[in-house]
Amino acid sequence: MRYTGASLGYRIAAVLGGGLAPFVMVLLLEATGTSMAVAACIIGLAVIALISIKVLAGRAGPR
C-alpha cells in the first residue's frame, strides 16, 4: 500500500510527459516552420536530464 503514492506520481508524470511532448513538438514545428526548434527543445531536455543525473550522482555518496 505504501508504494501507491510513488506509483501514482510515476504514472501521472508518464502521461503528462509522454502525452504532451508530441503536442508541444507539433506546436513548435507549426510556429517556427522548421524542425530546428524541435531539435533545440530535445537538446534542451537532454541537457536538463544530464544535469539532473550529475546532481543526483553527487548526492549518492561514495560506493
Side-chain angles (χ1 to χ4, degrees):
M1 190 61 137
R2 63 183 182 189
Y3 294 109
T4 302
S7 176
L8 183 62
Y10 177 78
R11 294 298 172 195
I12 290 173
V15 167
L16 290 178
L20 291 179
F23 180 71
V24 171
M25 297 305 162
V26 168
L27 287 177
L28 278 173
L29 186 60
E30 288 179 352
T32 61
T34 179
S35 61
M36 290 302 290
V38 175
C41 183
I42 292 172
I43 290 170
L45 293 173
V47 168
I48 290 170
L50 290 174
I51 291 170
S52 300
I53 291 169
K54 180 71 173 168
V55 169
L56 290 175
R59 290 184 181 183
R63 289 186 179 206

